[in-house]
Amino acid sequence: MIIVMERNVDTEKIRMVSLRLEEKGFQVHLSQGVERTIMGAVGERTQAIMELFETMAGVEKIVPIVQPFKMASREFQSEATVVQVGNTIVGDGRVQIIAGPCAVESRERFMEVAFKVKEAGATMLRGGAFKPRTSPYSFQGLEEEGLKILAQARELTGLPIVTEIMDTRLIGMVAEYADLLQVGARNMQNFFLLRELGKINKPVLLKRGVSATIEEWIMAAEYIISSGNKQVIMCERGIRTFENYTRNTLDLSAVPLIKQLTHLPIIVDPSHGTGKSKLVEPMALAAVGAGCDGLMVEVHQNPSEAWSDGPQSLTPDNFEKMVKKIMAMKDALDNLA
Ligand code: PEP
Ligand code: MN
């Protein structure tokens, strides 16, 4: 529930309400504006509890949160969360572009593509060092060597790096190298992993599970936030439907929905969302139209020879063309606003 305090209430009254909430087993999150203080209280809300707090000195009203998610909800925090990733910011109204190959394949190849996407306008680099592959016989990633290549690419390009974390045992290692830790679609409901990521001081990119509803996905974010880490960025990457012409069905309604229901930034991955390189640009433009805070796009210098996800990877040239259109579209939208 949310406790809205009276205008210009004195700090002693805020302290008393906060203490009483803690006594009743609530976790308290104070949000102090210029005139108004609002308290988010996470715990078991009963009618009696609401009545008790409604009558306390300094309390104007109690607003119950009806959604199952609390700390991620817009009701709990009305201003948008802005997440700092290295020297870049996600959620401040700009569109950040994360680009790079599906997997880090070698130092030479990664550096080449890193410089090309940077020149074309990418603001962050991606590349998997630990890959969640359907077959245990497929390439699984360069592991720590891949992380070292990513960190070197950050040094040389100045761009922050994003890479996937698949297991709690690897959090220390991956967090040492990466600026943003990606939870893949297959791990969206790995609640142990989510809880552990809630204890670190690095932002998390939470991809939507292949069959997750919007609510399940936000609940996954709630796990991370309620464990102590507020730096969560959502990523729509398509869901599995009956349609199989595309690899997944990119659900762009998730963009405005996540913005209405939560205060978290959301980016879109049209590469995994479609599985087809020819569909990446149109869906990226549509995602910007829908109001996303960023895009994550797979780029490979030679998609037909990529070790994973070649069919959905753009060439650096096509990536550059796409970025130009995205920038033009974003400028046009901003000028209308
Ligand atoms: C990826 O980004 O390389 C990836 C494996 O994505 P997803 O978890 O969305 O399938
Ligand atoms: Mn991929």
Side-chain angles (χ1 to χ4, degrees):
M1 61 188 176
I2 310 271
I3 296 167
V4 182
M5 301 299 286
E6 286 164 357
R7 259 172 221 284
N8 306 314
V9 70
D10 60 79
T11 50
E12 185 52 22
K13 286 184 181 141
I14 297 172
R15 201 176 69 84
M16 292 309 288
V17 173
S18 176
L19 275 177
R20 201 68 206 272
L21 280 166
E22 277 165 11
E23 263 172 40
K24 294 283 175 194
F26 284 86
Q27 248 185 300
V28 185
H29 302 268
L30 204 61
S31 147
Q32 246 157 339
V34 186
E35 284 190 357
R36 272 219 196 268
T37 295
I38 288 172
M39 275 185 250
V42 180
E44 205 187 333
R45 165 180 57 86
T46 60
Q47 194 56 37
I49 285 277
M50 285 184 51
E51 279 162 16
L52 169 73
F53 284 97
E54 233 152 24
T55 54
M56 279 193 79
V59 173
E60 185 182 301
K61 62 177 174 185
I62 309 284
V63 183
I65 300 182
V66 287
Q67 315 282 21
F69 41 89
K70 313 283 177 207
M71 299 175 76
S73 81
R74 263 288 171 192
E75 288 165 304
F76 197 88
Q77 182 187 310
S78 57
E79 71 276 13
T81 286
V82 167
V83 179
Q84 174 103 31
V85 182
N87 54 13
T88 301
I89 286 173
V90 181
D92 64 354
R94 289 176 297 170
V95 171
Q96 298 297 347
I97 303 177
I98 306 172
C102 179
V104 180
E105 298 173 357
S106 73
R107 175 172 283 106
E108 296 65 38
R109 277 194 228 181
F110 193 81
M111 295 307 166
E112 185 192 347
V113 106
F115 279 103
K116 285 194 168 152
V117 296
K118 182 188 175 176
E119 229 166 90
T123 51
M124 262 186 252
L125 298 174
R126 65 148 287 146
F130 293 91
K131 293 304 302 174
R133 303 305 298 279
T134 302
S135 164
Y137 310 117
S138 302
F139 171 60
Q140 305 283 309
L142 296 182
E143 304 188 344
E144 192 165 8
E145 196 198 325
L147 296 175
K148 287 187 176 149
I149 295 170
L150 286 164
Q152 244 179 12
R154 169 185 45 219
E155 259 174 54
L156 295 174
T157 61
L159 299 181
I161 57 170
V162 188
T163 199
E164 182 161 350
I165 174 75
M166 295 209 296
D167 192 288
T168 51
R169 287 168 292 186
L170 296 168
I171 292 177
M173 188 204 286
V174 176
E176 199 185 305
Y177 296 99
D179 298 294
L180 175 60
L181 278 70
Q182 172 177 329
V183 175
R186 293 154 192 81
N187 266 318
M188 189 209 82
Q189 281 188 319
N190 181 339
F191 300 118
F192 270 81
L193 179 62
L194 300 176
R195 276 220 182 92
E196 290 303 312
L197 289 170
K199 296 177 191 161
I200 64 167
N201 188 21
K202 278 270 164 98
V204 177
L205 180 65
L206 180 62
K207 292 191 111 182
R208 182 175 181 181
V210 286
S211 62
T213 63
I214 299 269
E215 189 172 297
E216 286 163 343
W217 182 23
I218 301 174
M219 291 309 280
E222 188 82 11
Y223 263 91
I224 303 170
I225 300 171
S226 65
S227 303
N229 189 353
K230 294 182 176 170
Q231 310 165 79
V232 177
I233 302 167
M234 307 295 267
C235 178
E236 164 62 39
R237 49 78 71 209
I239 47 174
R240 191 168 283 189
T241 66
F242 56 83
E243 177 55 65
N244 55 18
Y245 188 77
T246 45
R247 181 178 179 185
N248 291 289
T249 297
L250 190 63
D251 176 14
L252 287 181
S253 64
V255 176
L257 267 172
I258 289 292
K259 293 214 167 271
Q260 281 160 30
L261 294 169
T262 80
H263 48 79
L264 302 172
I266 174 166
I267 70 163
V268 172
D269 171 354
S271 306
H272 294 88
T274 63
K276 290 191 149 96
S277 59
K278 284 202 163 60
L279 298 183
V280 170
E281 181 186 291
M283 295 316 281
L285 289 166
V288 172
C292 70
D293 298 291
L295 295 163
M296 177 144 104
V297 177
E298 287 184 339
V299 181
H300 195 281
Q301 53 269 77
N302 194 350
S304 61
E305 280 177 21
W307 294 357
S308 58
D309 289 349
Q312 67 193 35
S313 298
L314 295 184
T315 60
D317 277 356
N318 286 337
F319 175 73
E320 193 182 340
K321 286 182 193 140
M322 180 193 78
V323 173
K324 285 206 176 97
K325 290 190 193 170
I326 285 165
M327 295 308 177
M329 183 170 166
K330 180 67 180 147
D331 282 349
L333 288 171
D334 287 349
N335 285 336
L336 284 173

